[in-house]
Amino acid sequence: MRRELSMACFERASPALKEILLKLYRAEKHVEVDHHLYEFGSVEYHIQSPAADPNHNYLSISTPLLSHGVLHSYGFSPYTIRMLKEVCSDAVEIVEPPREGYQLTLKLDFSKIPSEKESEKVIRQISSVQAVILSSQLKEMLENVNSQDVSQGMYKPIKLVYHPREPFYVIKQQQKITAVFPMRFKEPSDVIIATAFFQELMDVGSSEKWSKAPPCTWSPIPPPELRGEPLEDLSTNGGFVSFDISSRHVEGKKLDKTVWSLLNFYAYVKNHIKCTRGFIQRRMQKRLENLVEVLHKENQEEEGDVKKVKENAGCRYVRKLVRFPKSAMLKQRCGEFSKRMKRIRFRIKIHGFGRFRRRWLTIPKLSSPMRYTKID
Amino acid sequence: MASTLRLYLTCIRNTLEAALCLQNFPCQEVERHNKPEVELKTSPELLLNPILICRNESEKCLIETSINSLRISLKVKQADELENILTKKFLRFLSMRAEAFQVLRRKPIQGYDISFLITNYHCEEMQKQKLIDFIVQFMEDIDKEISELKMSVNTRGRLVATEFLKQFI
């Protein structure tokens, strides 16, 4: 549960990229490196540390863009480039043009990192470049909606595709921005778990304590804002989740958090479903063990009772297939009687009665019925 | 516990006490074979009338008896879709591990969620009263477990939703 909650942030820095860059930084002598990293969401990194240029390392990034209908033929928009320059320190320089097959190439000079304490922070910033690129695109779209997109008194929905088959829509309205997520799941059980989660999301969002959070709604049918969109984008099995983002959610530093939360909403829901399924599995396994333990305990109690009866009767274990003579049956009954006698707890203790009981009331042990007797 | 549940379980217990009188009976059709007659149902003279005990429309228990075996099929209440999938998952999980329970059937009878098959050999190895206690306790535990699972899933969802909305504040 804690791990799931901590994933709420979904780290912006790529862990694998961070590890490689830290190794390069901490290496005592120059090591020639040529790494290709592939990450979820069709993201590709290429890290090079050529022997010909030992003072510099090169990082190339290829990431799918949030499509807006109009692709920038010249690469990233000036807004994105400005965001990148703000994040990266003096140790990083943007290489123009980028390497073939990549949208961005950075030249890293670790010698310009001020101190060892700062190194981890700088490398973490470099590793989160892909998150910066995606966030800046969404921020730019939210800030600069073209007025020509207004249709029928409403702004046209902007379709954003972060991951194939998982588009979401951003609709800019007066005094608010609505983000609509069509939800699709592969399995019917995932749909039900997700629907329960969306109900809780609505309940929590509508409570007074969380009035500052953006209102959330879930509906099984497409909202009216999406009328006119292609049918294939609107056919879902998990309904539509909408967030109404107002100006207070995008002012100052909150814009970055809001944008990152919206970009990772799908991943967040899928992670929750996966963790819930794991939780159900663990719970079922534990319950199975408890139930089986109960059954085995009862069986052991039975065996214990049977053994006690037979020990007190003074008889050995007898196979049920063997028929006993009447004398053996009588002996077994006497054994049970003596067992009952021993189990009686006298409330009133009579001095000397114990000795009398042991002397006169015990039944002597008789011969075992299993002993073979020859029949003449 | 609700009074209707108590009555329902008492009725099942009494029926099982009457029905669990099993004895060894070799197969009449195949020599040297010994099969649970309640599964085969080839000889009507060896079968008793099945008894259906209903608590309500969604909860019922079918007890089919024969000379050497007894089959108990249970339909568990499912109030909503979440309980439906939890019940299906849990009972399927138990059925796949039926060998741990000995008396559990790997596949439930059609129309029911879980089935037990008790033969005369089980009655010889285990005490009749303990078997009945186990089955009645099993029914109570299943209901309790499904309710707890549902509550846990909803609680987890609420906590996760709270953490998500915190990002916006």
Side-chain angles (χ1 to χ4, degrees):
Chain A
M1 188 71 189
R2 275 188 197 170
R3 189 179 163 195
E4 189 180 345
L5 294 178
S6 68
M7 294 280 285
C9 306
F10 280 113
E11 284 188 29
R12 297 162 195 246
S14 162
L17 180 61
K18 196 168 97 175
E19 192 182 326
I20 292 171
L21 292 177
L22 275 172
K23 269 187 191 168
L24 283 174
Y25 173 74
R26 287 171 184 163
E28 288 177 356
K29 57 179 180 179
H30 174 76
V31 176
E32 191 174 350
V33 158
D34 194 343
H35 274 301
H36 283 268
L37 271 179
Y38 297 90
E39 283 195 346
F40 177 77
S42 308
V43 179
E44 186 184 344
Y45 298 103
H46 184 203
I47 305 125
Q48 271 182 308
S49 185
D53 188 2
N55 295 327
H56 295 109
N57 299 293
Y58 294 88
L59 170 65
S60 303
I61 299 161
S62 167
T63 176
L65 301 175
L66 294 176
S67 58
H68 187 203
V70 177
L71 294 171
H72 297 283
S73 57
Y74 48 84
F76 294 134
S77 66
Y79 184 86
T80 305
I81 302 278
R82 197 174 78 229
M83 289 287 119
L84 282 170
K85 283 179 180 170
E86 278 176 15
V87 168
C88 297
S89 64
D90 298 331
V92 180
E93 189 186 323
I94 298 175
V95 173
E96 293 289 350
R99 297 276 165 94
E100 193 180 338
Y102 297 93
Q103 288 132 337
L104 177 71
T105 301
L106 301 174
K107 188 169 156 187
L108 311 176
D109 188 356
F110 290 138
S111 60
K112 288 190 180 173
I113 294 176
S115 64
E116 189 133 349
K117 286 182 187 175
E118 290 274 320
S119 63
E120 209 164 309
K121 185 184 167 190
V122 169
I123 286 171
R124 198 183 316 121
Q125 281 177 341
I126 296 169
S127 307
S128 60
V129 160
Q130 191 257 345
V132 169
I133 293 170
L134 284 180
S135 301
S136 66
Q137 288 175 17
L138 184 55
K139 283 179 204 171
E140 190 181 9
M141 285 170 196
L142 292 177
E143 286 176 0
N144 301 320
V145 174
N146 194 337
S147 60
Q148 289 174 1
D149 288 335
V150 175
S151 65
Q152 296 177 358
M154 276 177 60
Y155 287 97
K156 196 178 170 186
I158 306 165
K159 180 179 169 183
L160 305 174
V161 182
Y162 172 45
H163 193 258
R165 299 189 55 157
E166 286 180 355
F168 66 99
Y169 295 88
V170 169
I171 304 135
K172 194 164 182 184
Q173 298 170 354
Q174 287 186 357
Q175 296 181 359
K176 71 174 180 179
I177 299 160
T178 304
V180 181
F181 295 87
M183 306 303 299
R184 290 180 192 87
F185 303 97
K186 282 183 187 171
E187 295 194 15
S189 57
D190 290 354
V191 173
I192 294 163
I193 295 171
T195 308
F197 170 63
F198 298 144
Q199 297 284 350
E200 293 296 332
L201 198 58
M202 279 202 300
D203 287 342
V204 171
S206 61
S207 62
E208 279 184 26
K209 190 183 168 189
W210 295 96
S211 56
K212 288 184 182 175
C216 169
T217 50
W218 176 80
S219 74
I221 56 171
E225 293 93 349
L226 293 185
R227 275 180 204 159
E229 293 301 317
L231 192 64
E232 58 185 13
D233 291 335
L234 299 183
S235 54
T236 64
N237 59 0
F240 296 80
V241 179
S242 306
F243 290 97
D244 292 333
I245 312 289
S246 59
S247 55
R248 65 174 169 200
H249 302 121
V250 296
E251 56 192 16
K253 288 182 183 177
K254 287 182 191 173
L255 173 64
D256 195 43
K257 275 189 184 176
T258 300
V259 162
W260 188 243
S261 299
L262 290 176
L263 280 177
N264 286 290
F265 181 67
Y266 280 123
Y268 193 79
V269 172
K270 285 188 179 169
N271 187 48
H272 166 65
I273 290 170
K274 189 177 166 188
C275 292
T276 303
R277 289 173 70 154
F279 166 75
I280 291 171
Q281 189 77 11
R282 284 192 302 274
R283 200 50 205 255
M284 290 194 300
Q285 180 67 35
K286 196 174 169 189
R287 201 51 169 151
L288 171 77
E289 287 167 9
N290 289 344
L291 287 169
V292 168
E293 197 183 315
V294 166
L295 183 67
H296 287 166
K297 192 180 165 187
E298 285 180 354
N299 283 348
Q300 280 170 7
E301 279 176 7
E302 282 176 37
E303 285 170 13
D305 286 343
V306 166
K307 275 185 189 170
K308 274 186 190 172
V309 166
K310 288 177 181 166
E311 277 170 12
N312 292 333
C315 299
R316 289 182 190 171
Y317 177 71
V318 178
R319 284 184 192 174
K320 291 175 185 174
L321 295 175
V322 176
R323 292 189 68 185
F324 299 121
K326 283 188 182 175
S327 59
M329 294 296 293
L330 188 64
K331 286 168 193 171
Q332 193 175 0
R333 281 178 194 165
C334 289
E336 287 177 8
F337 179 71
S338 68
K339 187 193 78 172
R340 274 187 204 167
M341 289 295 291
K342 283 186 181 178
R343 279 188 182 170
I344 291 170
R345 291 181 183 180
F346 296 98
R347 290 192 179 181
I348 303 169
K349 194 171 179 182
I350 303 170
H351 182 68
F353 185 72
R355 195 186 297 173
F356 173 78
R357 186 165 57 84
R358 282 194 295 276
R359 176 79 175 87
W360 296 104
L361 295 183
T362 49
I363 310 269
K365 286 183 184 177
L366 303 171
S367 61
S368 167
M370 278 300 286
R371 187 177 292 177
Y372 171 74
T373 51
K374 188 178 176 182
I375 301 169
D376 293 328
Chain B
M1 187 188 299
S3 60
T4 52
L5 179 63
R6 175 53 66 194
L7 286 172
Y8 176 59
L9 293 176
T10 307
C11 184
I12 290 173
R13 181 186 285 276
N14 292 340
T15 310
L16 287 176
E17 277 175 3
L20 258 177
C21 298
L22 308 176
Q23 65 182 53
N24 187 26
F25 194 88
C27 182
Q28 292 186 134
E29 300 187 355
V30 183
E31 200 177 316
R32 301 180 74 176
H33 276 217
N34 197 320
K35 301 171 188 176
E37 295 296 332
V38 76
E39 293 285 345
L40 293 181
K41 296 193 177 177
T42 48
S43 306
E45 68 274 12
L46 302 175
L47 304 174
L48 277 74
N49 290 330
I51 300 169
L52 181 65
I53 303 166
C54 298
R55 185 183 175 194
N56 48 45
E57 286 174 4
S58 56
E59 269 187 274
K60 53 186 177 179
C61 171
L62 176 67
I63 300 173
E64 300 161 283
T65 320
S66 69
I67 189 161
N68 64 354
S69 50
L70 169 76
R71 192 162 67 186
I72 308 158
S73 304
L74 302 171
K75 181 97 178 97
V76 179
K77 69 156 181 181
Q78 290 150 38
D80 54 21
E81 285 183 345
L82 185 59
E83 274 192 18
N84 191 359
I85 59 150
L86 290 174
T87 306
K88 269 189 190 165
K89 274 184 178 291
F90 185 44
L91 294 179
R92 190 167 183 274
F93 184 86
L94 293 180
S95 299
M96 287 296 114
R97 290 149 185 83
E99 67 277 358
F101 290 98
Q102 298 178 45
V103 294
L104 195 59
R105 206 169 179 265
R106 275 201 179 272
K107 202 174 166 190
I109 300 302
Q110 199 171 7
Y112 293 86
D113 295 319
I114 194 162
S115 296
F116 295 88
L117 177 66
I118 302 173
T119 62
N120 56 296
Y121 296 112
H122 295 134
C123 291
E124 287 168 16
E125 285 167 9
M126 304 178 222
Q127 279 189 18
K128 175 179 158 180
Q129 277 305 320
K130 298 281 186 188
L131 261 177
I132 296 170
D133 289 343
F134 170 73
I135 290 179
V136 171
Q137 188 64 36
F138 186 91
M139 289 172 68
E140 282 181 69
D141 287 347
I142 292 289
D143 276 344
K144 194 173 137 190
E145 184 61 26
I146 301 294
S147 301
E148 282 177 9
L149 262 174
K150 183 181 173 186
M151 210 176 315
S152 300
V153 167
N154 285 335
T155 306
R156 285 177 64 91
R158 182 166 281 263
L159 285 171
V160 169
T162 307
E163 284 301 315
F164 180 75
L165 291 176
K166 268 187 194 172
Q167 306 302 312
F168 295 97
I169 296 176

